[in-house]
Amino acid sequence: MKDHVYKLIELTGTSTISIEDAVDKAIKRAHKTIKNLCWFQVVETRGNISKGKVDHWQVTIKVGFSVEA
């Protein structure tokens, strides 16, 4: 088995639809420029309220990817 080295980055995705959509948007954007994405971890969830309803989600995630040799 090959030993791997990983790097973590922190991203914040946003969405007016849902927490999951905010995470998905952050990962899709990172995928455009970063190879070997492996996993994510939700670090923080927050949002804006307007007229008594959730108006916007902000989700901060840590994303791990393997570093090429």
Side-chain angles (χ1 to χ4, degrees):
M1 180 177 189
K2 186 177 171 185
D3 291 328
H4 296 278
V5 174
Y6 298 96
K7 180 167 178 73
L8 286 174
I9 59 170
E10 194 168 273
L11 304 169
T12 300
T14 65
S15 173
T16 57
I17 298 169
S18 68
I19 293 169
E20 292 84 359
D21 189 51
V23 170
D24 192 50
K25 285 179 179 179
I27 291 171
K28 282 181 179 177
R29 178 59 185 89
H31 177 71
K32 290 181 179 181
T33 58
I34 301 171
K35 297 180 192 177
N36 306 320
L37 296 176
C38 298
W39 75 90
F40 74 93
Q41 171 188 353
V42 175
V43 177
E44 183 177 23
T45 304
R46 58 191 174 277
N48 297 337
I49 300 169
S50 177
K51 299 178 184 175
K53 296 171 86 176
V54 175
D55 185 51
H56 207 97
W57 293 99
Q58 296 175 330
V59 183
T60 300
I61 60 174
K62 287 186 179 178
V63 178
F65 59 96
S66 59
V67 178
E68 293 181 353

